[in-house]
Amino acid sequence: MFSKILIANRGEIALRIIRACKELGIRTVAVYSEADRESLHVQMADEAICIGKAPSSESYLNIPAIISAAEITDVEAIHPGYGFLAENAHFAEICESCKINFIGPTPENIKSMGDKMNARQLMQKIGLPLIPGSTSIVKNKEEAIKISKRIGYPVIIKAVSGGGGKGMRICHNDISLISNFIIAQQEAEKNFGNRDIYIEKYIENPRHIEIQILADKYGHIIHLGERECSIQRRHQKLLEESPSCVVDTKMRKRLGELCIRAAKFINYVSAGTLEFLLDKDNNFYFMEMNTRIQVEHPVTEAVTGIDLIKEQIRIAAGEKLSYKQEDIQIKGSAIECRIAAEDFENDFMPSAGTIEYLNLPAGPRVRVDTYIYQGYKIPPYYDSLLAKIIVHGKDRPEALRIMERALSEFIIEPIKTTINFHRNLLKNPLFLKGQFSTHFVDDILAKKD
Ligand code: MV4
């Protein structure tokens, strides 16, 4: 096992990783930007090194500064958390060449899933159901029209190097396809430095369901069930659950086994997530794979009792998986609310400033992953996520009531947050019945005005 790890991240996930390290008896090194001097991760780690100015590009994305910090403090491994460098194959490669263990998948894993077309081709080979569409890059308008005629409108244009919803365009006919085609290529070039695009049938009102997997360096792979992630706005998830109320034991087993086969096929190592769309007839389609630990990992931890961060560290240190598939049981129901510093009554506009008064939820079956404290000044430079509330009940109705109770205890003054959005959501009859898709939040917000 490692004796010292550097955490190349900030905020709640940096704290989450430091806590896992402490429980494993591993010393920790925090890195921080000039804007994060007063951050808790700096205080909680055994050592801390300033790696640059406030903008991420000069600090948390500054590879030479992070590698230097790792060399100076003589760490054996780096945990990238999520965002920033977590899915940067180049960074993972540099770690490798500096003999620093990257706590995550191999550079090859990251590369092969970062190319969404390549991911589609690989997943098709092992029999994962794909959304109907192109199986290679769409080069010109003529090809685009031909494919769209075959699969039928509406279609969606996606960037090969995209992901997370950026640079997608929905087209309902030949005319909109032609006008969107060039724009999509230009946007892809601008955003991802790669103009390659592909086309899929557009699935209307789908649910977003993802499967968590864990793979060690010896080809042992398990799945940890699904997370329901349909409650989102502008590709930012607002609430996640496990299990999903539309996935039964049989479907979970089938999806899970397919994901294990897929991960084996690409020699995947570490924690990973396969994203699926579920249409209204409960057909599921592979969408993409995330080669990192995700924000919403705690709902899986709650229902399985497995510490995913500790498992990532153990796997990176060369230990065998400590669980077999038979050991995994989904117990009860977990829900996470992401509380962000955003004014939900003002189009989710980001808010910043000093927290004058804070009361965090607590009590039975409530976990709060956060980095804020009373007197903390929220910097305007980074992600607006302040806290994740995770509750665990015997079933979904109980989890919902615990969440309602937890949200009612949460006070942050004078910062505008999404707490009231979540409290309203938990009163919505359709949400309570589990009847929603990825369009649900847009639909209820549109009705409000
Ligand atoms: C889709 C889709 C419908 N049909 N692909 C959004 C994020 C990116 N990973 C892919 N996304 C979508 N791809 C087809 N063929 C709808 C979405 C989508 C979505 C997916 C998951 C969660 C929220 C979403 C919100 C809008 C669109």
Side-chain angles (χ1 to χ4, degrees):
M1 181 45 71
F2 306 124
S3 52
K4 202 179 188 184
I5 286 178
L6 182 144
I7 296 106
N9 216 302
R10 64 178 303 283
E12 67 85 20
I13 193 65
L15 264 65
R16 170 73 188 87
I17 298 162
I18 292 170
R19 287 179 169 132
C21 289
K22 286 191 175 173
E23 290 178 23
L24 290 169
I26 300 169
R27 278 172 290 139
T28 52
V29 177
V31 293
Y32 63 96
S33 74
E34 286 176 8
D36 274 341
R37 271 181 204 290
E38 306 302 321
S39 268
L40 267 190
H41 76 286
V42 175
Q43 290 177 45
M44 266 179 62
D46 297 305
E47 292 170 69
I49 292 193
C50 183
I51 48 164
K53 296 197 184 301
S56 311
S57 59
E58 294 176 50
S59 49
Y60 299 105
L61 291 171
N62 184 344
I63 295 177
I66 291 167
I67 296 290
S68 302
E71 299 285 7
I72 290 164
T73 53
D74 199 25
V75 298
E76 296 147 273
I78 297 181
H79 197 305
Y82 53 68
F84 298 126
L85 298 170
E87 289 174 286
N88 185 320
H90 175 61
F91 178 64
E93 253 165 13
I94 290 178
C95 289
E96 231 172 50
S97 62
C98 295
K99 304 268 184 290
I100 301 164
N101 225 298
F102 178 80
I103 302 175
T106 64
E108 293 69 35
N109 290 159
I110 300 172
K111 261 184 246 165
S112 91
M113 292 298 108
D115 179 323
K116 306 302 167 191
M117 192 74 245
N118 185 54
R120 254 173 91 76
Q121 288 166 350
L122 287 170
M123 295 310 169
Q124 186 175 38
K125 274 195 196 147
I126 60 101
L128 266 187
L130 293 188
I131 302 167
S134 55
T135 39
S136 56
I137 298 154
V138 181
K139 292 202 182 59
N140 51 50
K141 291 176 192 170
E142 291 69 34
E143 235 180 79
I145 288 175
K146 214 172 93 188
I147 289 157
S148 303
K149 281 240 154 39
R150 175 167 62 81
I151 61 181
Y153 287 103
V155 301
I156 183 166
I157 308 176
K158 293 184 178 183
V160 165
S161 302
K166 259 190 164 173
M168 305 187 319
R169 292 190 160 256
I170 301 157
C171 312
H172 290 273
N173 49 52
D174 287 356
I175 294 168
S176 78
L177 177 68
I178 289 165
S179 62
N180 276 318
F181 189 82
I182 302 290
I183 302 170
Q185 278 186 328
Q186 288 166 346
E187 278 183 355
E189 174 75 58
K190 196 181 80 193
N191 286 311
F192 315 111
N194 175 5
R195 66 201 293 273
D196 294 346
I197 55 174
Y198 65 104
I199 290 176
E200 284 176 356
K201 173 95 187 165
Y202 179 63
I203 312 285
E204 287 171 282
N205 296 304
R207 293 176 88 110
H208 176 185
I209 285 167
E210 57 188 30
I211 304 277
Q212 177 73 54
I213 60 148
L214 274 177
D216 69 16
K217 293 184 176 175
Y218 313 97
H220 305 303
I221 309 178
I222 58 171
H223 78 84
L224 300 160
E226 78 283 2
R227 293 186 288 259
E228 162 70 66
C229 303
S230 302
I231 302 296
Q232 59 85 40
R233 182 181 170 272
R234 303 204 177 148
H235 306 294
Q236 291 296 318
K237 294 165 188 161
L238 293 161
L239 177 148
E240 305 94 345
E241 315 182 25
S242 187
S244 164
C245 50
V246 295
V247 176
D248 59 18
T249 312
K250 210 175 125 203
M251 186 172 180
R252 181 171 306 117
K253 188 164 186 283
R254 202 168 100 219
L255 267 176
E257 282 168 3
L258 277 168
C259 291
I260 290 171
R261 256 171 53 200
K264 274 213 171 85
F265 187 66
I266 62 170
N267 294 316
Y268 194 78
V269 176
S270 192
T273 300
L274 291 96
E275 295 188 348
F276 295 89
L277 288 182
L278 206 73
D279 71 13
K280 48 185 173 303
D281 304 316
N282 264 14
N283 298 305
F284 58 85
Y285 306 95
F286 169 77
M287 193 161 52
E288 52 190 77
M289 181 171 184
N290 300 321
T291 55
R292 60 166 189 275
I293 192 74
Q294 290 190 259
V295 177
E296 61 271 28
H297 76 275
V299 294
T300 298
E301 295 186 321
V303 295
T304 61
I306 291 174
D307 186 316
L308 288 168
I309 306 288
K310 279 194 202 169
E311 287 306 312
Q312 274 190 307
I313 297 170
R314 288 195 185 108
I315 289 166
E319 291 186 16
K320 285 185 191 152
L321 270 190
S322 32
Y323 304 92
K324 291 194 174 66
Q325 192 61 51
E326 309 91 82
D327 301 331
I328 309 303
Q329 283 196 49
I330 308 298
K331 191 169 159 251
S333 169
I335 304 174
E336 170 179 279
C337 286
R338 296 191 190 186
I339 309 304
E342 292 175 13
D343 182 1
F344 104 93
E345 286 174 293
N346 195 0
D347 199 31
F348 289 80
M349 186 136 74
S351 57
T354 302
I355 299 168
E356 308 287 0
Y357 180 81
L358 178 66
N359 190 61
L360 289 174
R365 299 170 206 93
V366 176
R367 163 178 170 184
V368 181
D369 278 19
T370 187
Y371 71 112
I372 61 172
Y373 55 86
Q374 199 161 300
Y376 178 68
K377 189 163 186 256
I378 302 161
Y381 303 101
Y382 313 107
D383 191 276
S384 61
L385 182 68
L386 293 178
K388 307 187 301 202
I389 309 172
I390 306 101
V391 301
H392 189 201
K394 69 175 192 303
D395 52 22
R396 189 171 185 267
E398 188 183 62
L400 288 166
R401 281 202 302 277
I402 301 168
M403 184 60 85
E404 238 188 309
R405 187 271 291 171
L407 287 168
S408 77
E409 294 175 10
F410 205 160
I411 306 168
I412 308 180
E413 294 291 348
I415 311 298
K416 302 278 190 208
T417 73
T418 54
I419 293 171
N420 282 339
F421 166 83
H422 286 96
R423 294 188 75 175
N424 290 347
L425 177 65
L426 263 64
K427 292 190 191 98
N428 184 292
L430 289 173
F431 172 72
L432 294 175
K433 277 194 276 185
Q435 291 174 10
F436 50 80
S437 77
T438 55
H439 298 291
F440 185 75
V441 174
D442 289 335
D443 291 349
I444 57 172
L445 291 175
K447 274 195 207 102
K448 212 181 62 171
D449 311 312

